[in-house]
C-alpha cells in the first residue's frame, strides 16, 4: 500500500497550479484526481557531467587569478673538457648527436642552449632562461653530454634526513646545484652509504656538501627534561636570573615554558658537553627543592588576585626573590580562589604575610548609575570627574559603555570618599534630568541635522537639551534626547513633526545642460530666487560647476515638486529656442552707424527682433557681429544690419563657383592665403561653405570694385591650384626603390630639382608596394615620369661585371653571415655580389644586376676597400668579468657602437676560457686592483678617429661599483622571498646588487653597473630602506594584543550572519579578532590585535554587544501550526523581515515535535512582547481567513511514495536553514536528510 504525504499549499503553489491545468485538461474532479508519485511530481536533476554538458569549475572566491610575477632570466656558461665529452666527433659539429640532444633539452625545459667548440676541443655551453629552466637544463646536459662517474659517501644513518630536508627540498636543491643524481638508502635499509652519480667535479661538490651537513649535526645535541611544572620557578629563579646564569656558565641554551603554557618539558640545546653539564645542574636543583619544600593553600577573593600577580607578574617575582617561595595562582578565567605557596617551611610564613599585604592593598567598589547619565557624571571635558581624581589621585575610576556601573579602584579610604562624591552627583542628576529615545529612519538623519548642523543646534539651544544621532557607520536609526524633562518632550515632538513632513517628500532629477545653469540662476541668484519664492516648499540644488554635471535636483512635497519641474522645463525650452547664434561680418567703419546715437539703432533692432546683439570692442581687429536668439529673429536682425551697411556704402555681393576639393588649399594654413586676398582687396569678406556641405559656392562681399578684384584673384589662385594638382602613377619593383631614391635621397632629389615635381614612394604599410606617385604641374609630372621610367627600364636590363678585390679584404665582406653583401643588395637594386670560395686564392669578384646598380655597387665596394686599407687597430683593456655587461643583451650595445662608428670590435681569439662568475646575489664581490690580462683585451678596427670614438663609447659602458649603507637587519627584507625583491631591483635598474653573507653581519650593500644606473639604484635602495623602517615602526605599533573572556554561547551572535557583525567591528576599528578553534581548551578567549587605541575601542564594542545579549530573554508563544507556513513566507522572507523589524530571533518547532504549536521568541523584553503581539495578530488574521474560505481545510499538494514516508525518515523542516539553506551559505548537516545527500 503506497503512503501519502501532505505539504502546505503555500510552499508548493507552482506545482499545484501545474497539476490543476492537467486536471482541467483531463476533466477529472478535484476530489477524485490522480495522486502522482514523488518522482513524477519532482523529477531528479541530471547528474554532474551529463553527456553534452561541461562541468564548469566554480568561480574562485578571489575573482580572476592573480597574474604571477615574471621570473627573471639568467645565463650560465660551463665547460666540458675533451676527455669527458660523450660525443667526440668534430667533423660535423653543430649537426651531430650533441645538437640533437641540445634541441631535445630545449624543448623539454624551455631554456635556450648555445654550443661552441674551444681551441682545446672542449665544449663550451651557454644556457639562458628562467632560473628553474636553466638548472634543469644544466642537469640534463651534464647527464647526456658528459661521461658519468659514481662514488659513495658514508655518514651516520640518523643524518640522512638532514640531507633529504623537508619534503625532499634540500636533496632536490643539492642535485640541481651540483648537477648530480644522489641516491639515499631507504629507512629500512641498514646501509649508511649514499651513492652520487655525475661528473667528477659535480661528485666532489656533492660529497663535500653532504659531509658538511653530517659534520654540523655531529656537533649538536638536544635534551628534553620532563620536570613538574611547580618546580620550574625555582629552576628559572626570580626574574629568570638563575637560568640566565646557568646558560652563561654552561654555554647551553635553556628553554623553560612560560607559566601560562601547560607544558612541563624543559629543552636544553647546544654542544654535547655543555648540554650534559646543564642537565646535571638542573636535575640537582630539582631534586634539592623537591626534598626540602612543602606547600600551604590559602583562599583569596578572585578580584584581588591581579594585585598579588602584579604588572607582568612582577609581584610574584619579588616574593620569590625576597622569600624563596613560589606562589602558584589559578588561571584568571578559572573560578577557583585557592592560591598555593611552595617553599621551605621556615620561609612560608613571611611569604604568606606578603601575599595578604598585596591582596588588601587595593579595594574595588562598583557604583550603580544609568548608562545615559555617565557622560553627565563625567562632565564637560571631564570637569566633574577631574575634580574627584585631583583630590584623590590614587583612585582609578572606570566607566563601562552600555553598563549601569562605575568601577572605583584604589586605597580603601580614598575609594570610600570617591564613592560618596559620585553617589551625590548621581542623586542630583536623577532629580533634574530625563531622557527619551525615538527610532527615525537613517535616511532622514542628515536632514534633521541640517546644513552645518543648523537644525539640530537650534533645537538644542531652544529646548536646552542634548540630542545624540547615531553615526552612518553604526547603521542605527536611534535618536536619543537628554536634558530637562519638559524640554525633552518638546524636542521630541518637533523632531517627529519634521520626520512626518520628510516622509511625504519626494526627490526628482532634471537634466539641464550646464551652460544654462548660470542663466537660470541669474545675476546674484535673482531669477532662481523668483522660482523659489513661487515654490517655497521645494528645495532646488544645482551641481557644483567643477563637477560638470547636468543634473538639477528638486526635493519637497510630491505635488509641489511636479509643478516646479514643469515650470523649470518651460524655462529651459525657451532658453534652448533662444540660444541660436549667427555671426555677421560688417566693415569696422560702419559699426558706429549700426549702434546709432546713444545706441538708438542697435537698441531698436534688439527690441523689434527680440535678439541679443554683441559687437566687438573698438580696439579689437574683429569685424564679426554676433546675434543670439530664435532662428527667425536672428535672420531678421542680420538682414536689417546688412541693409544699414548697404545704404552707407556701395556694397556688392558676388558668388564664385570653385570645386569643393580645392577649398582647403585656397584657405591655406590657418587661413593665411584667403586672408592675404581680403587684405589686398580693401578688406572684402570671403565666405567659404562649411566643410562637408558639398557646396561649391564661395561668397564675396564688399565695395563693388574690390569685390571684382578679389573675385579675379580667387579664380586665378584656384586655377593655379588646379594646374599644380596633376597626378601620375608609375610601377617599379620594391627592390628598385632604394636605388631610385639613392644614398641619402641623392638620386630622387636630382629628379625633383630638374622637374619640380613631387615623387611619393609607398610606405611599408601600403598594400601597393610597387606604386610610385608623382604630383605637380602636368608638364613637370610628365617629365619626371619619363626620367623614372627610363631608370626602371635600365634596372630591368641585367648585366654581369667583374672587379678585382685583394684576398685579405674578402673576409670583411662575407663575415657576419654576409652582412655587408646584404646591405649592398638592399641599397643598389638587388645587385648580386659573389666572392670566390675560401682557399681558392682568387681575387676576382662577380657582380650581377641592372647596369646602373652594378656600377654604383662597384663604386661603393671600392670605397669600402679604401677604408679597410687605411684602418688601424686599437686595443681596449676591460676586465673580462665586465665583458657581458659591455656587450649587452644579445650583443646589442656592441652592435650599436659598430654601426654608429663604422668599426669592427672583437675579443682576442687566443684568450683562455675565463672562469664564469655567477651573477646571482651574494656570490660576486668586487675585485681588487685591476691588472690587465690577455683575455681582458678588446680590439677595435677602423679609421683612427672612429676607433677613438668607439673606444670612448666602450669605456663608458664599463660598470662601476658603489657602497650603500644599509642596516644588516634590513637585508633579508630587501632580498625578499626567494630573492624576488633583489632580482626585481636588479632588473628595474639594470645593475648587479651584492648583499654580504648573513654571518658577516655587514651594514653595506654593493651596487655594480653603469654610472647612471648605479645612481638610480642607490636612490631606489635608500627609498626602500625608508619604507622598511616605516613598516617596522608600524608593525610594532600594530602588534598590541588583548585577550578577553566571553561566554562561548555569545560567540555566534558576536560573529553575526555570514560574519557581518564581527567584520564590521574589524573594519570600524582596523583590528584583527581571533576566536578559539573547536579543539582549543579555552573556548571563551577572544584575542584582539592591532593599534593599542583601536584594540581598546574594539574590546569595548564587544563588551557592549555582550552586555546587550545578556539582557535578552526568551519567551514561548503558542500559534496554530496551520499558520506557520504563511508567517514564515516564501523561502523565509516574511519571517526574516519580521525579525529585522522587531530586532528579535524567532524559532519554529521541528517536525514531529511534542509541542507543534510552540514558537520561541528571543530578544530584549520590550521587543519580545511587541513581536509576540504581532504574531498573535497574524495568527488571528490567517485563521479567520482560512475559516471564511469554502470547502473546509485545504488538502494541500499530495504526492505518493515521498522519501520522508520511508521507514526511519521524517518530513523536512521548511524553517530549517539546514534543510533549506540560503544560497551562498554552507550548512554542516547534522544528520542524513530524507531528500538524499546535499550537493553544493
Amino acid at each position: 500500500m503506497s503512503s501519502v504525504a501532505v505539504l502546505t499549499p503555500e510552499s508548493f503553489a507552482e506545482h499545484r497550479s501545474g497539476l490543476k491545468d492537467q486536471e482541467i485538461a483531463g476533466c477529472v474532479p478535484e476530489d477524485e484526481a490522480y495522486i502522482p508519485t514523488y518522482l513524477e511530481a519532482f523529477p531528479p536533476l541530471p547528474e554532474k557531467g551529463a553527456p553534452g554538458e561541461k562541468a564548469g569549475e566554480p568561480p574562485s572566491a578571489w575573482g580572476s587569478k592573480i597574474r604571477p610575477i615574471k621570473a627573471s632570466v639568467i645565463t650560465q656558461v660551463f665547460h666540458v673538457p675533451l676527455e669527458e665529452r660523450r660525443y667526440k666527433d668534430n667533423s660535423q659539429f653543430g649537426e651531430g648527436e650533441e645538437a640533437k640532444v641540445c634541441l631535445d633539452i630545449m624543448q623539454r625545459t624551455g631554456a635556450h642552449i648555445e654550443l661552441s667548440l674551444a681551441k682545446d676541443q672542449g665544449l663550451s655551453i651557454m644556457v639562458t632562461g628562467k632560473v628553474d629552466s636553466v638548472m634543469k637544463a644544466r642537469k640534463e646536459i651534464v647527464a647526456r653530454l658528459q661521461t658519468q662517474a659514481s662514488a659513495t659517501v658514508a655518514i651516520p644513518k640518523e643524518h640522512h634526513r638532514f640531507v633529504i630536508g623537508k619534503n625532499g627540498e634540500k636533496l632536490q636543491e643539492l642535485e640541481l646545484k651540483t648537477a648530480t643524481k644522489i641516491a639515499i638508502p631507504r629507512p629500512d635499509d641498514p646501509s649508511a652509504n649514499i651513492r652520487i652519480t655525475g661528473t667528477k667535479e659535480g661528485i666532489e661538490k656533492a660529497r663535500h656538501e653532504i659531509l658538511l651537513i653530517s659534520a654540523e649535526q655531529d656537533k649538536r645535541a638536544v635534551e628534553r627534561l620532563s620536570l613538574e611544572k611547580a618546580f620550574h620557578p625555582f629552576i628559572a629563579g626570580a626574574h629568570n636570573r638563575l637560568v640566565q646564569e646557568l646558560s652563561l656558565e654552561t654555554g647551553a641554551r635553556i628553554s623553560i615554558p612560560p607559566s601560562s603554557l601547560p607544558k612541563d618539558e624543559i629543552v636544553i640545546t647546544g654542544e654535547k658537553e655543555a648540554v650534559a653539564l646543564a642537565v646535571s645542574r638542573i636535575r640537582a636543583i630539582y631534586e634539592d627543592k623537591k626534598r626540602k619544600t612543602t606547600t600551604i593553600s590559602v583562599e583569596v577573593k578572585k578580584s584581588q588576585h591581579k594585585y598579588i600577580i602584579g604588572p607582568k607578574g612582577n609581584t610574584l617575582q619579588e616574593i620569590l626573590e625576597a622569600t624563596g617561595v613560589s606562589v602558584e595562582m589559578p588561571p584568571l578565567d578559572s573560578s577557583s580562589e585557592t592560591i598555593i605557596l611552595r617553599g621551605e617551611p621556615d620561609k612560608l610564613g613571611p611569604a604568606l604575610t606578603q601575599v595578604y599585604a598585596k591582596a588588601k592593598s587595593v579595594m574595588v567598589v562598583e557604583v550603580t548609575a544609568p548608562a545615559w547619565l555617565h557622560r553627565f557624571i563625567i562632565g564637560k571635558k571631564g570637569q566633574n570627574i577631574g575634580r574627584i581624581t585631583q583630590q584623590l589621585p590614587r583612585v582609578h575610576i572606570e566607566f563601562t559603555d552600555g553598563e549601569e556601573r562605575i568601577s572605583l579602584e584604589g586605597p580603601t579610604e580614598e575609594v570610600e570618599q570617591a564613592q560618596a562624591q559620585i553617589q551625590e552627583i548621581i542623586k542630583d542628576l536623577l532629580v533634574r534630568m530625563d531622557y527619551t529615545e525615538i527610532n527615525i529612519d537613517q535616511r532622514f538623519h542628515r536632514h534633521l541635522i541640517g546644513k552645518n548642523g543648523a537644525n539640530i543646534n537650534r533645537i538644542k539651544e531652544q529646548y536646552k537639551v542634548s540630542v545624540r544621532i547615531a553615526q552612518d557607520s553604526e547603521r542605527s536609526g536611534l535618536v536619543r534626547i537628554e536634558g530637562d524633562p519638559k524640554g525633552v518632550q518638546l524636542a521630541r515632538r518637533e523632531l517627529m513633526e519634521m520626520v512626518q513632513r520628510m516622509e511625504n517628500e519626494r526627490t526628482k532629477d532634471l537634466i539641464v545642460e550646464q551652460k544654462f545653469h548660470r542663466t537660470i540662476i541669474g545675476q546674484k541668484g535673482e531669477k532662481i530666487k523668483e522660482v523659489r519664492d513661487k515654490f517655497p516648499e521645494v528645495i532646488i540644488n544645482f551641481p557644483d560647476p567643477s563637477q560638470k554635471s547636468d543634473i538639477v535636483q528638486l526635493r519637497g512635497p510630491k505635488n509641489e515638486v511636479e509643478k516646479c519641474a514643469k515650470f523649470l522645463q518651460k524655462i529651459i525650452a525657451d532658453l534652448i529656442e533662444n540660444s541660436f547664434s549667427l555671426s555677421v561680418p560688417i566693415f569696422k567703419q560702419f559699426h558706429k552707424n549700426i549702434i546709432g546715437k546713444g545706441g538708438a539703432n542697435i537698441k531698436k533692432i534688439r527690441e523689434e527682433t527680440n535678439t541679443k546683439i554683441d559687437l566687438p570692442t573698438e580696439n579689437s581687429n574683429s569685424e564679426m557681429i554676433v546675434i543670439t536668439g530664435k532662428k527667425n529673429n536672428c535672420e531678421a536682425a542680420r538682414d536689417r544690419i546688412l541693409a544699414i551697411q548697404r545704404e552707407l556704402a556701395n556694397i556688392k555681393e558676388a558668388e564664385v563657383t570653385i570645386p569643393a576639393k580645392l577649398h582647403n588649399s585656397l584657405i591655406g594654413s590657418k587661413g593665411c592665403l584667403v586672408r592675404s586676398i581680403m587684405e589686398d582687396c580693401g578688406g572684402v569678406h570671403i565666405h567659404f561653405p562649411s566643410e562637408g556641405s558639398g557646396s561649391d559656392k564661395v561668397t564675396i562681399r564688399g565695395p563693388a570694385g574690390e569685390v571684382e578684384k578679389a573675385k579675379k584673384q580667387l579664380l586665378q589662385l584656384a586655377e593655379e591650384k588646379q594646374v599644380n594638382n596633376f597626378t601620375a602613377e608609375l610601377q617599379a619593383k620594391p627592390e628598385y626603390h632604394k636605388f631610385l631614391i639613392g644614398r641619402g635621397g641623392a638620386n630622387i632629389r636630382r629628379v625633383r630639382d630638374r622637374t619640380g615635381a613631387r615623387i611619393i614612394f609607398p610606405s611599408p604599410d601600403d598594400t601597393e608596394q610597387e606604386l610610385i606617385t608623382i604630383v605637380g604641374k602636368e608638364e613637370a609630372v610628365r617629365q619626371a615620369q619619363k626620367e623614372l621610367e627610363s631608370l626602371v627600364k635600365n634596372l630591368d636590363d641585367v648585366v654581369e661585371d667583374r672587379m678585382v678585390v685583394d684576398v685579405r679584404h674578402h673576409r670583411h665582406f662575407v663575415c657576419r653571415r654576409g652582412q655587408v653583401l646584404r646591405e649592398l643588395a638592399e641599397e643598389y637594386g638587388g645587385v648580386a655580389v659573389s666572392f670566390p670560395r675560401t682557399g681558392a686564392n682568387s681575387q676576382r669578384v662577380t657582380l650581377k644586376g641592372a647596369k646602373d646598380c652594378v656600377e654604383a655597387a662597384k663604386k661603393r665596394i671600392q670605397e669600402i676597400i679604401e677604408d679597410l686599407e687605411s684602418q688601424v687597430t686599437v686595443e681596449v683593456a676591460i676586465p673580462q668579468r665586465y665583458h657581458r655587461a659591455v656587450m649587452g643583451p644579445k650583443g646589442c650595445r656592441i652592435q650599436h657602437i659598430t654601426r654608429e662608428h663604422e668599426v669592427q670590435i672583437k675579443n682576442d681569439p687566443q684568450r683562455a676560457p675565463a672562469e664564469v662568475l655567477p651573477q646571482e646575489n651574494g656570490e660576486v664581490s668586487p675585485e681588487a686592483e685591476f691588472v690587465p690580462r690577455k683575455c681582458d683585451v678588446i680590439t677595435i678596427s677602423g679609421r683612427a678617429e672612429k676607433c677613438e670614438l668607439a673606444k670612448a663609447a666602450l669605456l663608458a659602458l664599463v660598470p662601476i661599483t658603489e657602497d650603500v649603507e644599509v642596516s644588516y637587519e634590513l637585508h633579508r627584507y630587501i632580498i625578499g622571498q626567494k630573492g624576488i625583491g633583489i632580482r626585481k631591483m636588479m632588473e628595474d635598474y639594470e645593475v648587479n646588487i651584492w648583499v654580504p653573507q648573513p654571518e658577516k653581519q655587514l651594514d653595506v650593500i654593493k651596487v655594480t653597473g653603469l654610472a647612471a644606473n648605479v645612481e638610480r639604484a642607490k636612490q631606489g635602495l635608500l627609498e626602500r630602506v625608508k619604507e622598511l623602517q616605516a613598516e617596522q615602526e608600524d608593525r610594532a605599533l600594530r602588534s598590541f594584543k588583548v585577550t578577553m573572556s566571553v561566554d562561548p554561547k555569545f560567540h555566534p551572535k558576536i560573529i553575526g550572519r555570514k560574519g557581518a557583525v564581527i567584520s564590521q567591528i574589524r573594519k570600524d576599528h582596523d583590528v584583527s579578532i581571533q576566536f578559539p578553534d573547536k579543539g582549543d581548551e579555552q573556548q571563551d578567549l577572544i584575542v584582539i590585535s592591532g593599534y593599542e587605541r583601536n584594540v581598546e575601542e574594539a574590546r569595548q564594542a564587544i563588551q557592549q554587544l555582550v552586555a546587550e545579549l545578556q539582557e535578552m530573554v526568551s519567551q514561548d508563544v503558542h500559534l496554530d501550526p496551520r499558520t506557520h507556513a504563511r508567517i514564515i513566507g516564501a523561502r523565509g522572507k516574511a519571517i526574516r523581515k519580521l525579525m529585522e523589524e522587531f530586532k528579535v530571533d524567532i524559532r519554529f518547532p521541528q517536525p514531529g515535535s511534542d509541542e507543534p504549536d510552540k514558537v520561541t521568541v528571543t530578544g530584549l523584553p520590550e521587543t519580545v512582547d511587541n513581536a509576540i503581539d504581532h504574531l498573535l495578530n497574524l495568527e488571528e488574521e490567517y485563521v479567520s481567513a482560512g475559516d471564511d474560505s469554502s470547502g473546509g481545510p485545504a488538502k494541500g499538494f499530495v504526492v505518493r511514495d515521498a522519501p520522508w514516508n520511508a521507514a526511519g525518515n521524517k518530513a523536512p523542516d521548511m524553517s530549517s536553514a539546514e534543510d533549506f539553506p540560503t544560497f551562498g551559505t554552507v550548512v554542516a548537516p547534522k544528520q542524513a536528510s530524507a531528500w538524499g545527500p546535499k550537493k553544493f
Side-chain angles (χ1 to χ4, degrees), residues 170 242 593 687 905 967-968 1018 1208:
K170 182 72 176 174
L242 184 57
N593 305 95
H687 175 70
I905 300 173
S967 174
Y968 157 73
K1018 277 177 66 179

Side-chain angles (χ1 to χ4, degrees), residues 985-1038:
M985 289 187 78
M986 289 196 287
E987 286 174 10
D988 291 348
Y989 300 116
E990 296 181 6
V991 294
N992 185 52
I993 300 173
W994 179 77
V995 180
Q997 295 294 335
E999 58 267 16
K1000 293 182 181 177
Q1001 298 191 1
L1002 298 176
D1003 291 339
V1004 70
I1005 289 178
K1006 295 183 183 293
V1007 184
T1008 304
L1010 300 182
N1013 295 351
V1014 167
E1015 190 58 37
R1016 287 192 305 118
K1018 277 177 66 179
Q1019 296 300 323
L1021 259 178
L1022 293 173
E1023 285 173 15
R1024 178 65 179 145
V1025 168
K1026 287 180 185 175
E1027 288 174 15
L1028 289 171
Q1029 287 171 343
E1031 285 174 14
Q1032 279 185 330
E1033 291 171 10
D1034 184 64
R1035 206 178 296 119
L1037 291 173
R1038 289 184 72 94

Side-chain angles (χ1 to χ4, degrees), residues 583-603 605-606 613-627 640-642 644-646 648-649 651 683 685:
S583 294
V584 186
I586 300 294
F587 292 104
K588 193 80 174 178
Q589 63 265 33
F590 300 135
H591 282 199
K592 60 183 179 180
N593 305 95
I594 290 167
I595 294 169
K597 192 174 182 179
N601 290 351
I602 198 72
K603 187 177 179 182
I605 295 170
R606 282 171 178 162
I613 302 172
D614 295 318
L615 285 87
T617 56
E618 286 185 15
N619 56 359
S620 169
N621 293 326
S622 174
E623 295 184 340
M624 288 292 178
I625 295 176
V626 181
I627 308 167
R640 290 184 64 171
I641 290 171
L642 289 172
I644 293 171
Q645 182 178 241
R646 279 194 295 272
L648 292 170
I651 301 299
H685 292 291

Side-chain angles (χ1 to χ4, degrees), residues 19 208 280 310 367-368 399-400 471 570 626 628 692 694 734-735 743 749 771 918 1109 1154 1177 1222:
L19 289 173
H208 177 68
S280 65
V367 178
T368 304
F399 291 82
T400 308
Q471 296 288 333
K570 186 179 178 184
V626 181
T628 308
E735 56 265 28
R743 196 171 186 185
R749 201 181 301 115
L771 194 66
L1109 292 170
D1154 295 336
N1177 290 338
T1222 306

Side-chain angles (χ1 to χ4, degrees), residues 435-441 445 448 456 466-470 476-482 495 499:
Y435 81 97
T436 186
E437 290 179 344
I438 49 177
N439 214 329
I440 296 172
D441 197 315
H445 285 189
L448 292 178
I456 208 72
S466 170
V467 182
R468 300 182 68 190
I469 298 175
S476 170
L478 197 67
V479 176
R480 187 185 182 94
I481 310 167
E482 299 166 351
L495 284 173
V499 171

Side-chain angles (χ1 to χ4, degrees), residues 876-884 906-915 930-939:
V876 187
I878 296 174
Q880 190 187 3
R881 66 176 180 273
Y882 297 141
H883 285 190
R884 183 165 295 167
K906 59 182 178 178
N907 295 346
D908 187 348
Q910 302 299 321
R911 70 175 187 176
E915 183 185 350
F930 171 57
V931 178
R933 298 170 298 166
K934 195 172 184 181
C935 60
D936 297 328
V937 176
I938 295 174
T939 57

Side-chain angles (χ1 to χ4, degrees), residues 72-76 127-131 134-135 919-920 983:
S72 60
V73 174
I74 67 162
T75 300
Q76 283 200 3
V127 188
T128 306
K130 294 180 181 177
V131 181
V134 168
M135 299 305 284
Q919 299 294 313
E920 304 274 343
R983 283 201 300 274

